[in-house]
Amino acid sequence: GLKSMRTGWSGNAVIAEMGGADATMNGKAGAGMVASNNNNLPSPDDAPISELELRREVIVSLSVCAFYILVSSVMVFSNKALAFTYGFTMTNALLLMQMMFTIGLLHFLRDVVHLIDFPRFELSVARSVSPVSFFYCLNAAAALLAVRELSVPSYTMVKRSASLFSLVLEFIILNKRPRVRVVLSLIVMVIGTVIAA
């Protein structure tokens, strides 16, 4: 995911730290990777971000977070209502419909509205990411089963606690030491989820 971003005044350099690797992109964020930046710093002729641009970036970021919370909450409560109120037990069919809707929506936003951009489907890329896709599908199917069987607060607590377990396993298996801020953020998130549940 996108961890940090610095944009020059002219918009010619955006340095994005994605998954621990820094990359330089031309133009707006998300326009596409061009080359790796050796020193991971903006060029000297780039001026700092103006206060207006910084405010706009913060507002856009908070809007995206709010939209994610809204969509995520609606999905959890809709799935729970389908399972509990209407007795819909075919979670795999629900998962397939949700994924097909997501694919259709993404293509609509790319091809018709031109709001987002992502590469066209390539079989070689699909093959290379198929293990990750398989485990994501297992995760999504297990989540739908959990929503069906657990109460919403319990499901939310289990789901939010998963990040902490991922962090521990990442340290044990990959020997990757997380930053203190990341650990503190996760602890605050888990404590808040436990209190809410």
Side-chain angles (χ1 to χ4, degrees):
L2 186 62
K3 292 183 190 171
S4 65
M5 184 183 297
R6 289 186 217 105
T7 314
W9 174 261
S10 63
N12 290 333
V14 174
I15 299 170
E17 184 182 1
M18 301 176 77
D22 289 340
T24 302
M25 295 183 271
N26 278 337
K28 296 179 183 174
M33 302 289 183
V34 179
S36 176
N37 190 358
N38 294 333
N39 57 6
N40 296 332
L41 295 173
S43 61
D45 53 326
D46 284 335
I49 298 176
S50 70
E51 188 176 332
L52 184 64
E53 287 177 335
L54 183 61
R55 282 185 186 171
R56 182 182 175 279
E57 194 173 305
V58 168
I59 289 170
V60 168
S61 300
L62 290 175
S63 301
V64 168
C65 289
F67 181 69
Y68 172 78
I69 291 168
L70 176 70
V71 170
S72 179
S73 301
V74 166
M75 283 189 67
V76 168
F77 284 107
S78 300
N79 292 337
K80 185 65 178 176
L82 276 172
F84 186 73
T85 308
Y86 301 106
F88 188 83
T89 57
M90 296 171 24
T91 51
N92 289 336
L94 187 61
L95 177 63
L96 182 63
M97 286 188 286
Q98 287 177 351
M99 287 188 175
M100 287 172 60
F101 175 77
T102 302
I103 291 168
L105 179 64
L106 287 172
H107 280 277
F108 174 77
L109 291 174
R110 182 189 68 184
D111 300 333
V112 178
V113 183
H114 305 292
L115 187 64
I116 61 172
D117 190 28
F118 57 89
R120 301 275 174 193
F121 177 80
E122 291 180 26
L123 193 58
S124 60
V125 175
R127 279 196 196 113
S128 66
V129 298
S130 59
V132 176
S133 299
F134 173 74
F135 284 109
Y136 170 77
C137 289
L138 281 180
N139 179 37
L144 284 172
L145 281 172
V147 166
R148 191 179 78 188
E149 300 299 329
L150 298 172
S151 67
V152 172
S154 300
Y155 166 76
T156 305
M157 186 179 74
V158 170
K159 185 178 177 183
R160 296 292 171 244
S161 302
S163 302
L164 201 56
F165 290 113
S166 298
L167 200 70
V168 171
L169 288 174
E170 195 176 59
F171 176 72
I172 293 169
I173 296 170
L174 301 176
N175 202 20
K176 187 175 178 184
R177 189 176 297 274
R179 286 183 285 189
V180 177
R181 287 182 184 180
V182 173
V183 175
L184 289 176
S185 300
L186 277 173
I187 289 171
V188 167
M189 186 177 76
V190 170
I191 289 171
T193 305
V194 170
I195 291 169

Short mmCIF file of all heavy atoms in Angstrom, two decimals, residues 103-156:
data_model
loop_
_atom_site.label_atom_id
_atom_site.label_comp_id
_atom_site.label_asym_id
_atom_site.label_seq_id
_atom_site.Cartn_x
_atom_site.Cartn_y
_atom_site.Cartn_z
N ILE A 103 -15.47 -6.20 -10.21
CA ILE A 103 -14.77 -6.16 -11.51
C ILE A 103 -15.51 -5.25 -12.48
O ILE A 103 -14.90 -4.42 -13.16
CB ILE A 103 -14.62 -7.58 -12.07
CG1 ILE A 103 -13.63 -8.39 -11.23
CG2 ILE A 103 -14.16 -7.55 -13.53
CD1 ILE A 103 -13.61 -9.87 -11.53
N GLY A 104 -16.84 -5.39 -12.54
CA GLY A 104 -17.64 -4.55 -13.43
C GLY A 104 -17.53 -3.08 -13.07
O GLY A 104 -17.37 -2.22 -13.95
N LEU A 105 -17.57 -2.78 -11.77
CA LEU A 105 -17.47 -1.39 -11.33
C LEU A 105 -16.10 -0.79 -11.67
O LEU A 105 -16.00 0.35 -12.14
CB LEU A 105 -17.73 -1.30 -9.82
CG LEU A 105 -17.64 0.09 -9.19
CD1 LEU A 105 -18.70 1.01 -9.76
CD2 LEU A 105 -17.76 0.00 -7.68
N LEU A 106 -15.03 -1.57 -11.44
CA LEU A 106 -13.69 -1.08 -11.75
C LEU A 106 -13.53 -0.80 -13.24
O LEU A 106 -12.95 0.22 -13.63
CB LEU A 106 -12.64 -2.09 -11.28
CG LEU A 106 -12.42 -2.18 -9.77
CD1 LEU A 106 -11.50 -3.33 -9.42
CD2 LEU A 106 -11.87 -0.87 -9.22
N HIS A 107 -14.03 -1.69 -14.08
CA HIS A 107 -13.94 -1.47 -15.53
C HIS A 107 -14.79 -0.28 -15.95
O HIS A 107 -14.38 0.48 -16.84
CB HIS A 107 -14.35 -2.74 -16.29
CG HIS A 107 -13.27 -3.75 -16.35
ND1 HIS A 107 -12.26 -3.71 -17.28
CD2 HIS A 107 -13.01 -4.83 -15.55
CE1 HIS A 107 -11.42 -4.72 -17.08
NE2 HIS A 107 -11.85 -5.41 -16.03
N PHE A 108 -15.95 -0.08 -15.33
CA PHE A 108 -16.78 1.09 -15.62
C PHE A 108 -16.04 2.37 -15.26
O PHE A 108 -16.02 3.33 -16.03
CB PHE A 108 -18.10 0.99 -14.86
CG PHE A 108 -18.97 2.20 -14.99
CD1 PHE A 108 -19.71 2.43 -16.14
CD2 PHE A 108 -19.05 3.12 -13.95
CE1 PHE A 108 -20.51 3.55 -16.26
CE2 PHE A 108 -19.85 4.26 -14.06
CZ PHE A 108 -20.58 4.47 -15.22
N LEU A 109 -15.41 2.40 -14.08
CA LEU A 109 -14.68 3.59 -13.64
C LEU A 109 -13.46 3.86 -14.50
O LEU A 109 -13.06 5.01 -14.67
CB LEU A 109 -14.27 3.44 -12.17
CG LEU A 109 -15.40 3.47 -11.15
CD1 LEU A 109 -14.88 3.17 -9.75
CD2 LEU A 109 -16.12 4.81 -11.17
N ARG A 110 -12.86 2.80 -15.08
CA ARG A 110 -11.69 2.99 -15.94
C ARG A 110 -12.09 3.34 -17.37
O ARG A 110 -11.56 4.30 -17.94
CB ARG A 110 -10.82 1.74 -15.95
CG ARG A 110 -9.55 1.90 -16.80
CD ARG A 110 -8.80 0.63 -16.97
NE ARG A 110 -9.55 -0.33 -17.79
CZ ARG A 110 -9.14 -1.57 -18.04
NH1 ARG A 110 -8.02 -2.00 -17.51
NH2 ARG A 110 -9.86 -2.37 -18.77
N ASP A 111 -13.00 2.60 -17.96
CA ASP A 111 -13.28 2.72 -19.39
C ASP A 111 -14.33 3.77 -19.73
O ASP A 111 -14.26 4.38 -20.80
CB ASP A 111 -13.72 1.36 -19.96
CG ASP A 111 -12.65 0.29 -19.77
OD1 ASP A 111 -11.46 0.65 -19.70
OD2 ASP A 111 -13.02 -0.90 -19.67
N VAL A 112 -15.29 4.00 -18.85
CA VAL A 112 -16.38 4.93 -19.15
C VAL A 112 -16.16 6.28 -18.48
O VAL A 112 -16.18 7.33 -19.12
CB VAL A 112 -17.74 4.33 -18.73
CG1 VAL A 112 -18.87 5.31 -19.00
CG2 VAL A 112 -17.99 3.02 -19.47
N VAL A 113 -15.94 6.27 -17.17
CA VAL A 113 -15.82 7.51 -16.40
C VAL A 113 -14.39 8.07 -16.47
O VAL A 113 -14.19 9.27 -16.31
CB VAL A 113 -16.25 7.27 -14.93
CG1 VAL A 113 -16.19 8.55 -14.13
CG2 VAL A 113 -17.64 6.69 -14.88
N HIS A 114 -13.39 7.20 -16.71
CA HIS A 114 -11.97 7.58 -16.73
C HIS A 114 -11.52 8.20 -15.41
O HIS A 114 -10.74 9.15 -15.38
CB HIS A 114 -11.67 8.55 -17.89
CG HIS A 114 -12.09 8.02 -19.22
ND1 HIS A 114 -11.47 6.93 -19.82
CD2 HIS A 114 -13.08 8.40 -20.07
CE1 HIS A 114 -12.05 6.69 -20.98
NE2 HIS A 114 -13.04 7.55 -21.15
N LEU A 115 -12.04 7.64 -14.32
CA LEU A 115 -11.69 8.14 -13.00
C LEU A 115 -10.45 7.46 -12.44
O LEU A 115 -9.68 8.07 -11.71
CB LEU A 115 -12.89 7.94 -12.05
CG LEU A 115 -12.79 8.53 -10.66
CD1 LEU A 115 -12.72 10.06 -10.75
CD2 LEU A 115 -13.98 8.12 -9.81
N ILE A 116 -10.27 6.19 -12.78
CA ILE A 116 -9.10 5.44 -12.32
C ILE A 116 -8.40 4.83 -13.52
O ILE A 116 -8.93 4.84 -14.63
CB ILE A 116 -9.51 4.33 -11.32
CG1 ILE A 116 -10.45 3.32 -11.99
CG2 ILE A 116 -10.12 4.90 -10.07
CD1 ILE A 116 -10.74 2.10 -11.14
N ASP A 117 -7.21 4.31 -13.29
CA ASP A 117 -6.45 3.66 -14.36
C ASP A 117 -5.72 2.46 -13.78
O ASP A 117 -5.13 2.55 -12.70
CB ASP A 117 -5.46 4.65 -14.98
CG ASP A 117 -4.84 4.09 -16.24
OD1 ASP A 117 -5.47 3.26 -16.93
OD2 ASP A 117 -3.70 4.47 -16.55
N PHE A 118 -5.80 1.35 -14.49
CA PHE A 118 -5.04 0.15 -14.12
C PHE A 118 -4.77 -0.63 -15.39
O PHE A 118 -5.48 -0.48 -16.39
CB PHE A 118 -5.76 -0.69 -13.06
CG PHE A 118 -7.15 -1.14 -13.44
CD1 PHE A 118 -7.35 -2.34 -14.11
CD2 PHE A 118 -8.25 -0.36 -13.13
CE1 PHE A 118 -8.62 -2.76 -14.45
CE2 PHE A 118 -9.52 -0.76 -13.47
CZ PHE A 118 -9.71 -1.97 -14.13
N PRO A 119 -3.73 -1.48 -15.40
CA PRO A 119 -3.35 -2.19 -16.63
C PRO A 119 -4.41 -3.18 -17.09
O PRO A 119 -5.21 -3.67 -16.30
CB PRO A 119 -2.06 -2.92 -16.25
CG PRO A 119 -1.78 -2.62 -14.83
CD PRO A 119 -2.84 -1.76 -14.29
N ARG A 120 -4.39 -3.46 -18.39
CA ARG A 120 -5.29 -4.46 -18.98
C ARG A 120 -4.90 -5.86 -18.49
O ARG A 120 -3.78 -6.09 -18.05
CB ARG A 120 -5.21 -4.42 -20.51
CG ARG A 120 -5.55 -3.08 -21.10
CD ARG A 120 -7.02 -2.93 -21.28
NE ARG A 120 -7.36 -1.59 -21.73
CZ ARG A 120 -8.57 -1.10 -21.73
NH1 ARG A 120 -9.57 -1.84 -21.29
NH2 ARG A 120 -8.81 0.11 -22.14
N PHE A 121 -5.84 -6.78 -18.60
CA PHE A 121 -5.62 -8.16 -18.16
C PHE A 121 -4.54 -8.82 -19.01
O PHE A 121 -4.56 -8.74 -20.23
CB PHE A 121 -6.92 -8.97 -18.26
CG PHE A 121 -6.75 -10.41 -17.90
CD1 PHE A 121 -6.73 -10.80 -16.56
CD2 PHE A 121 -6.59 -11.38 -18.87
CE1 PHE A 121 -6.57 -12.12 -16.22
CE2 PHE A 121 -6.42 -12.71 -18.54
CZ PHE A 121 -6.42 -13.08 -17.20
N GLU A 122 -3.57 -9.45 -18.34
CA GLU A 122 -2.54 -10.22 -19.02
C GLU A 122 -2.45 -11.58 -18.33
O GLU A 122 -2.36 -11.66 -17.11
CB GLU A 122 -1.19 -9.52 -18.95
CG GLU A 122 -1.12 -8.24 -19.77
CD GLU A 122 0.24 -7.58 -19.67
OE1 GLU A 122 1.24 -8.29 -19.42
OE2 GLU A 122 0.31 -6.35 -19.84
N LEU A 123 -2.44 -12.64 -19.14
CA LEU A 123 -2.42 -14.00 -18.60
C LEU A 123 -1.16 -14.27 -17.78
O LEU A 123 -1.22 -14.94 -16.74
CB LEU A 123 -2.55 -15.01 -19.75
CG LEU A 123 -2.85 -16.45 -19.34
CD1 LEU A 123 -4.14 -16.53 -18.54
CD2 LEU A 123 -2.93 -17.35 -20.56
N SER A 124 -0.02 -13.74 -18.22
CA SER A 124 1.23 -13.97 -17.49
C SER A 124 1.18 -13.36 -16.09
O SER A 124 1.63 -13.96 -15.12
CB SER A 124 2.42 -13.41 -18.28
OG SER A 124 2.26 -12.01 -18.47
N VAL A 125 0.59 -12.16 -15.99
CA VAL A 125 0.46 -11.50 -14.69
C VAL A 125 -0.54 -12.28 -13.82
O VAL A 125 -0.30 -12.49 -12.63
CB VAL A 125 0.00 -10.03 -14.86
CG1 VAL A 125 -0.26 -9.39 -13.51
CG2 VAL A 125 1.04 -9.24 -15.62
N ALA A 126 -1.63 -12.74 -14.45
CA ALA A 126 -2.63 -13.52 -13.70
C ALA A 126 -2.03 -14.79 -13.13
O ALA A 126 -2.31 -15.17 -11.99
CB ALA A 126 -3.81 -13.85 -14.61
N ARG A 127 -1.16 -15.44 -13.93
CA ARG A 127 -0.50 -16.66 -13.43
C ARG A 127 0.42 -16.34 -12.25
O ARG A 127 0.47 -17.09 -11.28
CB ARG A 127 0.32 -17.30 -14.56
CG ARG A 127 -0.50 -18.13 -15.49
CD ARG A 127 0.41 -19.04 -16.33
NE ARG A 127 -0.32 -19.55 -17.48
CZ ARG A 127 -0.07 -19.25 -18.73
NH1 ARG A 127 0.93 -18.44 -19.04
NH2 ARG A 127 -0.79 -19.75 -19.71
N SER A 128 1.14 -15.24 -12.35
CA SER A 128 2.11 -14.92 -11.30
C SER A 128 1.44 -14.53 -9.98
O SER A 128 2.00 -14.75 -8.91
CB SER A 128 3.06 -13.80 -11.75
OG SER A 128 2.36 -12.60 -11.92
N VAL A 129 0.24 -13.94 -10.04
CA VAL A 129 -0.44 -13.54 -8.81
C VAL A 129 -1.52 -14.54 -8.39
O VAL A 129 -2.23 -14.30 -7.42
CB VAL A 129 -1.07 -12.13 -8.93
CG1 VAL A 129 -0.02 -11.09 -9.18
CG2 VAL A 129 -2.16 -12.09 -9.98
N SER A 130 -1.62 -15.67 -9.09
CA SER A 130 -2.68 -16.63 -8.77
C SER A 130 -2.60 -17.19 -7.35
O SER A 130 -3.65 -17.38 -6.72
CB SER A 130 -2.72 -17.76 -9.80
OG SER A 130 -1.49 -18.44 -9.84
N PRO A 131 -1.41 -17.47 -6.77
CA PRO A 131 -1.40 -17.94 -5.38
C PRO A 131 -1.99 -16.91 -4.41
O PRO A 131 -2.76 -17.26 -3.52
CB PRO A 131 0.08 -18.19 -5.08
CG PRO A 131 0.72 -18.37 -6.41
CD PRO A 131 -0.06 -17.52 -7.35
N VAL A 132 -1.63 -15.63 -4.62
CA VAL A 132 -2.16 -14.56 -3.76
C VAL A 132 -3.67 -14.46 -3.93
O VAL A 132 -4.42 -14.33 -2.96
CB VAL A 132 -1.47 -13.22 -4.08
CG1 VAL A 132 -2.07 -12.09 -3.26
CG2 VAL A 132 0.02 -13.31 -3.83
N SER A 133 -4.13 -14.54 -5.19
CA SER A 133 -5.57 -14.47 -5.47
C SER A 133 -6.32 -15.63 -4.82
O SER A 133 -7.41 -15.45 -4.27
CB SER A 133 -5.82 -14.47 -6.97
OG SER A 133 -5.21 -13.37 -7.58
N PHE A 134 -5.72 -16.81 -4.87
CA PHE A 134 -6.35 -18.00 -4.27
C PHE A 134 -6.54 -17.80 -2.77
O PHE A 134 -7.62 -18.04 -2.22
CB PHE A 134 -5.50 -19.24 -4.56
CG PHE A 134 -5.97 -20.47 -3.86
CD1 PHE A 134 -7.11 -21.13 -4.29
CD2 PHE A 134 -5.29 -20.96 -2.75
CE1 PHE A 134 -7.57 -22.28 -3.63
CE2 PHE A 134 -5.73 -22.10 -2.09
CZ PHE A 134 -6.87 -22.76 -2.53
N PHE A 135 -5.49 -17.34 -2.10
CA PHE A 135 -5.58 -17.15 -0.65
C PHE A 135 -6.50 -15.99 -0.30
O PHE A 135 -7.16 -15.99 0.75
CB PHE A 135 -4.19 -16.99 -0.03
CG PHE A 135 -3.46 -18.29 0.09
CD1 PHE A 135 -2.37 -18.56 -0.73
CD2 PHE A 135 -3.86 -19.26 0.98
CE1 PHE A 135 -1.69 -19.76 -0.64
CE2 PHE A 135 -3.19 -20.47 1.09
CZ PHE A 135 -2.11 -20.72 0.27
N TYR A 136 -6.56 -14.98 -1.17
CA TYR A 136 -7.51 -13.88 -0.93
C TYR A 136 -8.95 -14.40 -1.00
O TYR A 136 -9.79 -14.05 -0.17
CB TYR A 136 -7.32 -12.75 -1.95
CG TYR A 136 -8.44 -11.75 -1.85
CD1 TYR A 136 -8.47 -10.82 -0.82
CD2 TYR A 136 -9.49 -11.77 -2.76
CE1 TYR A 136 -9.52 -9.93 -0.70
CE2 TYR A 136 -10.55 -10.89 -2.64
CZ TYR A 136 -10.55 -9.96 -1.61
OH TYR A 136 -11.60 -9.08 -1.49
N CYS A 137 -9.22 -15.26 -1.99
CA CYS A 137 -10.56 -15.85 -2.12
C CYS A 137 -10.90 -16.69 -0.90
O CYS A 137 -12.04 -16.64 -0.39
CB CYS A 137 -10.66 -16.68 -3.40
SG CYS A 137 -10.69 -15.68 -4.89
N LEU A 138 -9.93 -17.47 -0.40
CA LEU A 138 -10.16 -18.24 0.83
C LEU A 138 -10.46 -17.32 2.01
O LEU A 138 -11.36 -17.59 2.81
CB LEU A 138 -8.93 -19.10 1.15
CG LEU A 138 -8.75 -20.40 0.38
CD1 LEU A 138 -7.47 -21.10 0.84
CD2 LEU A 138 -9.95 -21.32 0.57
N ASN A 139 -9.71 -16.23 2.10
CA ASN A 139 -9.91 -15.26 3.17
C ASN A 139 -11.30 -14.65 3.08
O ASN A 139 -12.02 -14.53 4.09
CB ASN A 139 -8.83 -14.17 3.09
CG ASN A 139 -8.99 -13.12 4.15
OD1 ASN A 139 -9.38 -13.41 5.27
ND2 ASN A 139 -8.73 -11.88 3.78
N ALA A 140 -11.71 -14.25 1.87
CA ALA A 140 -13.03 -13.64 1.69
C ALA A 140 -14.15 -14.63 1.99
O ALA A 140 -15.16 -14.28 2.62
CB ALA A 140 -13.16 -13.11 0.26
N ALA A 141 -13.98 -15.88 1.57
CA ALA A 141 -14.99 -16.91 1.85
C ALA A 141 -15.10 -17.17 3.34
O ALA A 141 -16.21 -17.29 3.90
CB ALA A 141 -14.64 -18.20 1.10
N ALA A 142 -13.95 -17.23 4.03
CA ALA A 142 -13.96 -17.44 5.48
C ALA A 142 -14.61 -16.24 6.19
O ALA A 142 -15.33 -16.42 7.18
CB ALA A 142 -12.54 -17.64 5.99
N ALA A 143 -14.37 -15.04 5.67
CA ALA A 143 -14.97 -13.84 6.26
C ALA A 143 -16.49 -13.87 6.13
O ALA A 143 -17.21 -13.52 7.08
CB ALA A 143 -14.40 -12.58 5.60
N LEU A 144 -16.98 -14.30 4.96
CA LEU A 144 -18.43 -14.39 4.78
C LEU A 144 -19.05 -15.43 5.70
O LEU A 144 -20.14 -15.24 6.25
CB LEU A 144 -18.77 -14.69 3.32
CG LEU A 144 -18.63 -13.50 2.36
CD1 LEU A 144 -18.80 -13.96 0.92
CD2 LEU A 144 -19.63 -12.42 2.70
N LEU A 145 -18.36 -16.55 5.88
CA LEU A 145 -18.83 -17.57 6.82
C LEU A 145 -18.85 -17.03 8.25
O LEU A 145 -19.77 -17.29 9.01
CB LEU A 145 -17.94 -18.81 6.75
CG LEU A 145 -18.20 -19.76 5.59
CD1 LEU A 145 -17.12 -20.84 5.52
CD2 LEU A 145 -19.58 -20.41 5.73
N ALA A 146 -17.80 -16.27 8.59
CA ALA A 146 -17.72 -15.69 9.94
C ALA A 146 -18.85 -14.69 10.17
O ALA A 146 -19.44 -14.66 11.25
CB ALA A 146 -16.37 -15.03 10.14
N VAL A 147 -19.16 -13.87 9.15
CA VAL A 147 -20.26 -12.91 9.28
C VAL A 147 -21.57 -13.65 9.52
O VAL A 147 -22.41 -13.22 10.31
CB VAL A 147 -20.36 -12.01 8.02
CG1 VAL A 147 -21.66 -11.25 7.98
CG2 VAL A 147 -19.21 -11.03 7.98
N ARG A 148 -21.72 -14.77 8.83
CA ARG A 148 -22.96 -15.54 8.96
C ARG A 148 -23.10 -16.15 10.35
O ARG A 148 -24.20 -16.18 10.91
CB ARG A 148 -22.99 -16.64 7.89
CG ARG A 148 -24.35 -17.31 7.76
CD ARG A 148 -24.33 -18.35 6.68
NE ARG A 148 -23.67 -19.57 7.17
CZ ARG A 148 -23.36 -20.61 6.41
NH1 ARG A 148 -23.63 -20.58 5.12
NH2 ARG A 148 -22.79 -21.67 6.92
N GLU A 149 -21.99 -16.62 10.91
CA GLU A 149 -22.05 -17.37 12.17
C GLU A 149 -21.87 -16.51 13.42
O GLU A 149 -22.36 -16.86 14.48
CB GLU A 149 -21.00 -18.48 12.17
CG GLU A 149 -21.16 -19.49 11.05
CD GLU A 149 -22.48 -20.25 11.10
OE1 GLU A 149 -23.00 -20.46 12.21
OE2 GLU A 149 -23.00 -20.60 10.03
N LEU A 150 -21.14 -15.40 13.30
CA LEU A 150 -20.84 -14.57 14.48
C LEU A 150 -21.71 -13.31 14.49
O LEU A 150 -22.28 -12.93 13.47
CB LEU A 150 -19.37 -14.15 14.47
CG LEU A 150 -18.31 -15.24 14.54
CD1 LEU A 150 -16.93 -14.64 14.31
CD2 LEU A 150 -18.36 -15.95 15.88
N SER A 151 -21.75 -12.66 15.64
CA SER A 151 -22.38 -11.35 15.69
C SER A 151 -21.45 -10.34 15.03
O SER A 151 -20.24 -10.57 14.91
CB SER A 151 -22.65 -10.94 17.15
OG SER A 151 -21.41 -10.73 17.81
N VAL A 152 -21.99 -9.21 14.60
CA VAL A 152 -21.18 -8.21 13.89
C VAL A 152 -20.04 -7.68 14.76
O VAL A 152 -18.91 -7.58 14.29
CB VAL A 152 -22.08 -7.05 13.36
CG1 VAL A 152 -21.24 -5.92 12.81
CG2 VAL A 152 -23.03 -7.57 12.29
N PRO A 153 -20.27 -7.35 16.06
CA PRO A 153 -19.14 -6.89 16.89
C PRO A 153 -18.04 -7.94 17.03
O PRO A 153 -16.85 -7.62 16.98
CB PRO A 153 -19.78 -6.57 18.24
CG PRO A 153 -21.20 -6.32 17.94
CD PRO A 153 -21.54 -7.21 16.79
N SER A 154 -18.43 -9.21 17.21
CA SER A 154 -17.42 -10.27 17.33
C SER A 154 -16.65 -10.44 16.04
O SER A 154 -15.42 -10.59 16.05
CB SER A 154 -18.09 -11.60 17.69
OG SER A 154 -18.77 -11.50 18.90
N TYR A 155 -17.35 -10.40 14.91
CA TYR A 155 -16.69 -10.51 13.60
C TYR A 155 -15.71 -9.35 13.41
O TYR A 155 -14.57 -9.57 12.97
CB TYR A 155 -17.75 -10.51 12.49
CG TYR A 155 -17.16 -10.27 11.13
CD1 TYR A 155 -16.46 -11.27 10.47
CD2 TYR A 155 -17.27 -9.03 10.51
CE1 TYR A 155 -15.90 -11.05 9.22
CE2 TYR A 155 -16.72 -8.80 9.27
CZ TYR A 155 -16.04 -9.82 8.63
OH TYR A 155 -15.48 -9.59 7.40
N THR A 156 -16.13 -8.15 13.76
CA THR A 156 -15.27 -6.97 13.59
C THR A 156 -14.02 -7.10 14.46
O THR A 156 -12.92 -6.77 14.02
CB THR A 156 -16.04 -5.69 13.96
OG1 THR A 156 -17.23 -5.64 13.18
CG2 THR A 156 -15.21 -4.45 13.68
#
